Amino acid sequence: SAVISQKPSRDICQRGTSLTIQCQVDSQVTMMFWYRQQPGQSLTLIATANQGSEATYESGFVIDKFPISRPNLTFSTLTVSNMSPEDSSIYLCSIGPGLNEQYFGPGTRLTVT
Amino acid sequence: AQTVTQSQPEMSVQEAETVTLSCTYDTSESDYYLFWYKQPPSRQMILVIRQEAYKQQNATENRFSVNFQKAAKSFSLKISDSQLGDAAMYFCAYSPEGGAQKLVFGQGTRLTINP
């Protein structure tokens, strides 16, 4: 199965700044996803990122706040912009190799002070 | 919109015994997929088991099996011979058939294994 890595694994940021999270996969995949997991909560899909097209955002998430890049079939970035303490969460990328299954990266734990 | 409900925030079981985690979902679709994911304290999400809605046979993966009741929209996970390494958050998830492949997650059940 594919190996998925994320950078950074954790970070502490000041409010008003931005953080870019990287997701790298060791094989080519068409579908990648970004999720947010707020403390003690379940996962919520932020957006779907397919290579060669604009990311598709879920209700409640906007491109200005969470811009996403997908330059090739093995890499994607999620930026959390103009951060506030409410953005403190774990951010996870996942891949969808087929059959509707998804496999997840280790996550990025973000704390905003 | 599809929703997934896990009514048990926490469960505990004695090591070597069997435990069942509950999940219900709401959808108007006839074709879809259901999953159980495990998130150990290290937080890496792991796919435990999947079920295609068109299959009547319940999925099994070693000690893990599901009871899929399509009419009741119920999808429970049974863990047999529980082991200490099974301690984790368990999430039930739904994905519609089709190109979007989105996952909708339940709230999770924290499973504790008592030695």
Side-chain angles (χ1 to χ4, degrees):
Chain A
S1 59
V3 175
I4 308 167
S5 59
Q6 286 186 235
K7 290 182 180 179
S9 59
R10 59 177 62 225
D11 207 342
I12 301 173
C13 302
Q14 295 200 349
R15 68 174 67 205
T17 62
S18 297
L19 176 72
T20 295
I21 301 167
Q22 300 179 3
C23 180
Q24 179 76 54
V25 188
D26 69 348
S27 59
Q28 294 184 342
V29 291
T30 301
M31 306 192 79
M32 293 182 76
F33 305 85
W34 286 98
Y35 288 84
R36 181 176 73 181
Q37 187 176 23
Q38 294 179 301
Q41 302 295 315
S42 185
L43 283 76
T44 302
L45 180 63
I46 297 172
T48 302
N50 293 337
Q51 197 269 337
S53 62
E54 296 289 324
T56 302
Y57 288 83
E58 296 300 302
S59 176
F61 297 96
V62 295
I63 188 172
D64 290 346
K65 176 68 175 178
F66 298 101
I68 288 171
S69 77
R70 183 77 201 274
N72 57 53
L73 290 172
T74 64
F75 187 78
S76 179
T77 67
L78 169 76
T79 299
V80 186
S81 303
N82 188 24
M83 288 183 285
S84 67
E86 292 72 34
D87 293 320
S88 297
S89 296
I90 298 172
Y91 292 86
L92 300 104
C93 70
S94 72
I95 62 171
L99 299 178
N100 286 55
E101 294 179 354
Q102 289 186 26
Y103 297 95
F104 287 82
T108 295
R109 184 181 293 274
L110 170 62
T111 302
V112 184
T113 61
Chain B
Q2 296 93 356
T3 59
V4 178
T5 302
Q6 294 177 248
S7 59
Q8 306 154 315
E10 297 183 354
M11 293 280 287
S12 63
V13 63
Q14 291 296 125
E15 193 176 3
E17 301 206 335
T18 296
V19 64
T20 299
L21 308 184
S22 301
C23 172
T24 59
Y25 58 95
D26 186 26
T27 183
S28 59
E29 305 291 330
S30 59
D31 293 325
Y32 48 87
Y33 300 84
L34 296 165
F35 305 90
W36 280 97
Y37 281 88
K38 170 184 177 181
Q39 189 177 40
S42 65
R43 82 171 176 267
Q44 179 98 40
M45 292 280 285
I46 302 167
L47 176 62
V48 175
I49 199 165
R50 59 173 279 140
Q51 174 78 44
E52 293 91 336
Y54 67 85
K55 289 186 177 180
Q56 293 187 338
Q57 186 174 5
N58 289 323
T60 61
E61 286 287 342
N62 301 313
R63 297 182 295 107
F64 298 88
S65 61
V66 299
N67 183 4
F68 172 50
Q69 301 289 330
K70 190 173 185 179
K73 297 180 181 176
S74 171
F75 183 61
S76 61
L77 175 70
K78 185 172 80 172
I79 306 174
S80 304
D81 186 24
S82 297
Q83 301 175 0
L84 295 177
D86 295 333
M89 282 291 288
Y90 285 82
F91 293 97
C92 178
Y94 165 98
S95 180
E97 174 71 8
Q101 296 192 22
K102 301 178 187 181
L103 283 177
V104 177
F105 284 89
Q107 305 93 320
T109 297
R110 182 176 301 280
L111 178 63
T112 301
I113 312 295
N114 299 315

PDB file of all heavy atoms in Angstrom, chain A residues 37-42 90 109, chain B residues 89 91 107-108 110:
ATOM      1  N   GLN A  37      -9.663  17.566  11.882  1.00  0.00           N
ATOM      2  CA  GLN A  37     -10.158  16.872  13.072  1.00  0.00           C
ATOM      3  C   GLN A  37      -9.936  17.787  14.268  1.00  0.00           C
ATOM      4  O   GLN A  37      -8.820  17.903  14.784  1.00  0.00           O
ATOM      5  CB  GLN A  37      -9.438  15.529  13.274  1.00  0.00           C
ATOM      6  CG  GLN A  37     -10.023  14.704  14.394  1.00  0.00           C
ATOM      7  CD  GLN A  37      -9.371  13.340  14.521  1.00  0.00           C
ATOM      8  OE1 GLN A  37      -8.242  13.133  14.096  1.00  0.00           O
ATOM      9  NE2 GLN A  37     -10.092  12.389  15.124  1.00  0.00           N
ATOM     10  N   GLN A  38     -10.983  18.452  14.691  1.00  0.00           N
ATOM     11  CA  GLN A  38     -10.888  19.341  15.846  1.00  0.00           C
ATOM     12  C   GLN A  38     -10.740  18.507  17.111  1.00  0.00           C
ATOM     13  O   GLN A  38     -11.109  17.331  17.143  1.00  0.00           O
ATOM     14  CB  GLN A  38     -12.115  20.256  15.883  1.00  0.00           C
ATOM     15  CG  GLN A  38     -12.138  21.208  14.688  1.00  0.00           C
ATOM     16  CD  GLN A  38     -13.347  22.114  14.657  1.00  0.00           C
ATOM     17  OE1 GLN A  38     -14.472  21.645  14.624  1.00  0.00           O
ATOM     18  NE2 GLN A  38     -13.111  23.416  14.650  1.00  0.00           N
ATOM     19  N   PRO A  39     -10.199  19.116  18.173  1.00  0.00           N
ATOM     20  CA  PRO A  39      -9.888  18.339  19.387  1.00  0.00           C
ATOM     21  C   PRO A  39     -11.062  17.515  19.880  1.00  0.00           C
ATOM     22  O   PRO A  39     -12.155  18.033  20.106  1.00  0.00           O
ATOM     23  CB  PRO A  39      -9.495  19.442  20.385  1.00  0.00           C
ATOM     24  CG  PRO A  39      -8.961  20.549  19.537  1.00  0.00           C
ATOM     25  CD  PRO A  39      -9.792  20.529  18.284  1.00  0.00           C
ATOM     26  N   GLY A  40     -10.826  16.211  20.019  1.00  0.00           N
ATOM     27  CA  GLY A  40     -11.848  15.314  20.527  1.00  0.00           C
ATOM     28  C   GLY A  40     -13.009  15.066  19.589  1.00  0.00           C
ATOM     29  O   GLY A  40     -14.017  14.489  20.008  1.00  0.00           O
ATOM     30  N   GLN A  41     -12.868  15.478  18.345  1.00  0.00           N
ATOM     31  CA  GLN A  41     -13.984  15.370  17.403  1.00  0.00           C
ATOM     32  C   GLN A  41     -13.673  14.382  16.287  1.00  0.00           C
ATOM     33  O   GLN A  41     -12.590  13.807  16.212  1.00  0.00           O
ATOM     34  CB  GLN A  41     -14.277  16.752  16.801  1.00  0.00           C
ATOM     35  CG  GLN A  41     -14.601  17.829  17.812  1.00  0.00           C
ATOM     36  CD  GLN A  41     -15.894  17.552  18.552  1.00  0.00           C
ATOM     37  OE1 GLN A  41     -16.896  17.182  17.939  1.00  0.00           O
ATOM     38  NE2 GLN A  41     -15.868  17.695  19.872  1.00  0.00           N
ATOM     39  N   SER A  42     -14.661  14.218  15.420  1.00  0.00           N
ATOM     40  CA  SER A  42     -14.496  13.361  14.262  1.00  0.00           C
ATOM     41  C   SER A  42     -13.827  14.126  13.124  1.00  0.00           C
ATOM     42  O   SER A  42     -13.416  15.271  13.284  1.00  0.00           O
ATOM     43  CB  SER A  42     -15.864  12.835  13.828  1.00  0.00           C
ATOM     44  OG  SER A  42     -15.723  11.906  12.775  1.00  0.00           O
ATOM     45  N   ILE A  90      -6.121  18.851  14.117  1.00  0.00           N
ATOM     46  CA  ILE A  90      -5.257  17.970  13.342  1.00  0.00           C
ATOM     47  C   ILE A  90      -5.762  18.029  11.909  1.00  0.00           C
ATOM     48  O   ILE A  90      -6.965  17.891  11.654  1.00  0.00           O
ATOM     49  CB  ILE A  90      -5.305  16.517  13.868  1.00  0.00           C
ATOM     50  CG1 ILE A  90      -4.793  16.460  15.303  1.00  0.00           C
ATOM     51  CG2 ILE A  90      -4.475  15.600  12.970  1.00  0.00           C
ATOM     52  CD1 ILE A  90      -4.984  15.105  15.965  1.00  0.00           C
ATOM     53  N   ARG A 109      -0.564  18.256  13.547  1.00  0.00           N
ATOM     54  CA  ARG A 109      -1.236  18.842  14.720  1.00  0.00           C
ATOM     55  C   ARG A 109      -0.884  20.312  14.798  1.00  0.00           C
ATOM     56  O   ARG A 109       0.275  20.674  14.997  1.00  0.00           O
ATOM     57  CB  ARG A 109      -0.807  18.125  15.991  1.00  0.00           C
ATOM     58  CG  ARG A 109      -1.532  18.613  17.249  1.00  0.00           C
ATOM     59  CD  ARG A 109      -1.055  17.881  18.488  1.00  0.00           C
ATOM     60  NE  ARG A 109      -1.428  16.472  18.459  1.00  0.00           N
ATOM     61  CZ  ARG A 109      -2.594  15.989  18.881  1.00  0.00           C
ATOM     62  NH1 ARG A 109      -3.503  16.810  19.377  1.00  0.00           N
ATOM     63  NH2 ARG A 109      -2.840  14.713  18.834  1.00  0.00           N
TER      64      ARG A 109
ATOM     65  N   MET B  89      -9.682   4.855  18.987  1.00  0.00           N
ATOM     66  CA  MET B  89     -10.955   5.424  18.542  1.00  0.00           C
ATOM     67  C   MET B  89     -11.355   4.697  17.268  1.00  0.00           C
ATOM     68  O   MET B  89     -10.533   4.496  16.368  1.00  0.00           O
ATOM     69  CB  MET B  89     -10.815   6.914  18.246  1.00  0.00           C
ATOM     70  CG  MET B  89     -10.796   7.798  19.464  1.00  0.00           C
ATOM     71  SD  MET B  89     -12.376   7.869  20.303  1.00  0.00           S
ATOM     72  CE  MET B  89     -13.324   8.862  19.156  1.00  0.00           C
ATOM     73  N   PHE B  91     -14.005   4.775  14.092  1.00  0.00           N
ATOM     74  CA  PHE B  91     -14.925   5.623  13.335  1.00  0.00           C
ATOM     75  C   PHE B  91     -15.626   4.799  12.260  1.00  0.00           C
ATOM     76  O   PHE B  91     -14.982   4.081  11.489  1.00  0.00           O
ATOM     77  CB  PHE B  91     -14.177   6.774  12.660  1.00  0.00           C
ATOM     78  CG  PHE B  91     -13.604   7.778  13.609  1.00  0.00           C
ATOM     79  CD1 PHE B  91     -12.278   7.711  13.996  1.00  0.00           C
ATOM     80  CD2 PHE B  91     -14.388   8.812  14.119  1.00  0.00           C
ATOM     81  CE1 PHE B  91     -11.736   8.655  14.873  1.00  0.00           C
ATOM     82  CE2 PHE B  91     -13.866   9.744  14.982  1.00  0.00           C
ATOM     83  CZ  PHE B  91     -12.535   9.659  15.366  1.00  0.00           C
ATOM     84  N   GLN B 107     -19.181  10.036  14.863  1.00  0.00           N
ATOM     85  CA  GLN B 107     -18.516  10.787  15.920  1.00  0.00           C
ATOM     86  C   GLN B 107     -17.401  10.006  16.584  1.00  0.00           C
ATOM     87  O   GLN B 107     -16.576  10.584  17.299  1.00  0.00           O
ATOM     88  CB  GLN B 107     -19.537  11.213  16.986  1.00  0.00           C
ATOM     89  CG  GLN B 107     -20.715  11.994  16.448  1.00  0.00           C
ATOM     90  CD  GLN B 107     -21.900  11.102  16.100  1.00  0.00           C
ATOM     91  OE1 GLN B 107     -21.744  10.001  15.547  1.00  0.00           O
ATOM     92  NE2 GLN B 107     -23.093  11.563  16.434  1.00  0.00           N
ATOM     93  N   GLY B 108     -17.377   8.710  16.394  1.00  0.00           N
ATOM     94  CA  GLY B 108     -16.339   7.876  16.966  1.00  0.00           C
ATOM     95  C   GLY B 108     -16.738   7.216  18.271  1.00  0.00           C
ATOM     96  O   GLY B 108     -17.571   7.733  19.024  1.00  0.00           O
ATOM     97  N   ARG B 110     -14.641   5.439  21.541  1.00  0.00           N
ATOM     98  CA  ARG B 110     -13.339   5.148  22.148  1.00  0.00           C
ATOM     99  C   ARG B 110     -13.408   3.789  22.816  1.00  0.00           C
ATOM    100  O   ARG B 110     -14.213   3.580  23.722  1.00  0.00           O
ATOM    101  CB  ARG B 110     -12.964   6.205  23.176  1.00  0.00           C
ATOM    102  CG  ARG B 110     -11.582   5.978  23.795  1.00  0.00           C
ATOM    103  CD  ARG B 110     -11.195   7.102  24.742  1.00  0.00           C
ATOM    104  NE  ARG B 110     -11.165   8.385  24.071  1.00  0.00           N
ATOM    105  CZ  ARG B 110     -10.173   8.824  23.322  1.00  0.00           C
ATOM    106  NH1 ARG B 110      -9.101   8.060  23.145  1.00  0.00           N
ATOM    107  NH2 ARG B 110     -10.237  10.000  22.758  1.00  0.00           N
TER     108      ARG B 110
END
